[in-house]
Amino acid sequence: PPTTPPQNNSIMSGMLPNNISTSGVSASEIPDGFSLAGPNSGGGGGGGPNDAATEQAKQRQAQREAILEQAMTPDALARLRRVKLVKKDRASAVEGMIANMAMQGKLDSKISEGKLIEMLEGIVGAQQKKEGDKGKISIQRKRYNFDSDDDDDDDDLL
């Protein structure tokens, strides 16, 4: 029976064919600025502390995701993810609030989509109070002498 090559579970596995390997490449064949480092090796710069920090950040993010999945309904979680695509700071603030409430035991039921909307509106209101008119967009239309709103002669069109 034919055997299949072993599957590589790296990030690049979906992009490269399974029969490509770097084991037979010598250092003289590598162009300037490139290295034989694998996609998960951090660029070959020996960044040990950086790798540990990114690993801890990934663990914290995974823990936060697990808390959110337990504390929110599927509809609310889907909405929060959509908000995160557009307004990352607001979504992060709500995620922090929900995670803190869950860890302190202040949640008596799962957060619904309606409750999530209320929380987002509260954050928007707090940001507007803090920023004042700085974040507000106002449109002022130029007025001309011949353009008067008082001269509305649309009565004859009815």
Side-chain angles (χ1 to χ4, degrees), residues 14 21 74:
S21 72

Side-chain angles (χ1 to χ4, degrees), residues 3-142:
T3 59
T4 59
Q7 296 293 323
N8 184 1
N9 290 333
S10 70
I11 295 171
M12 302 291 288
S13 65
M15 299 171 67
L16 295 174
N18 290 332
N19 60 356
I20 294 179
S21 72
T22 58
S23 61
V25 178
S26 69
S28 62
E29 296 176 20
I30 300 173
D32 291 336
F34 291 90
S35 68
L36 276 176
N40 296 328
S41 65
N50 191 19
D51 290 343
T54 56
E55 186 64 31
Q56 287 179 348
K58 285 180 183 180
Q59 283 180 338
R60 282 193 302 268
Q61 184 63 27
Q63 184 179 14
R64 179 179 248 185
E65 285 292 324
I67 290 171
L68 291 175
E69 287 176 6
Q70 290 176 357
M72 300 174 73
T73 63
D75 291 338
L77 192 59
R79 180 177 286 266
L80 182 61
R81 288 180 178 152
R82 288 191 305 267
V83 169
K84 194 173 192 175
L85 292 173
V86 180
K87 299 287 185 181
K88 193 170 183 80
D89 56 334
R90 290 182 188 167
S92 296
V94 170
E95 285 177 354
M97 287 173 50
I98 293 171
N100 287 338
M101 289 168 54
M103 287 190 287
Q104 294 172 1
K106 293 183 179 179
L107 293 177
D108 30 329
S109 63
K110 286 191 171 195
I111 294 177
S112 66
E113 191 172 1
K115 180 66 176 168
L116 176 67
I117 292 171
E118 289 176 16
M119 293 172 82
L120 286 167
E121 288 173 348
I123 288 176
V124 170
Q127 285 178 347
Q128 285 178 349
K129 283 182 183 178
K130 187 168 70 170
E131 292 177 359
D133 288 339
K134 184 173 76 171
K136 186 177 179 183
I137 298 173
S138 62
I139 300 172
Q140 295 179 348
R141 188 173 151 246
K142 289 186 178 181

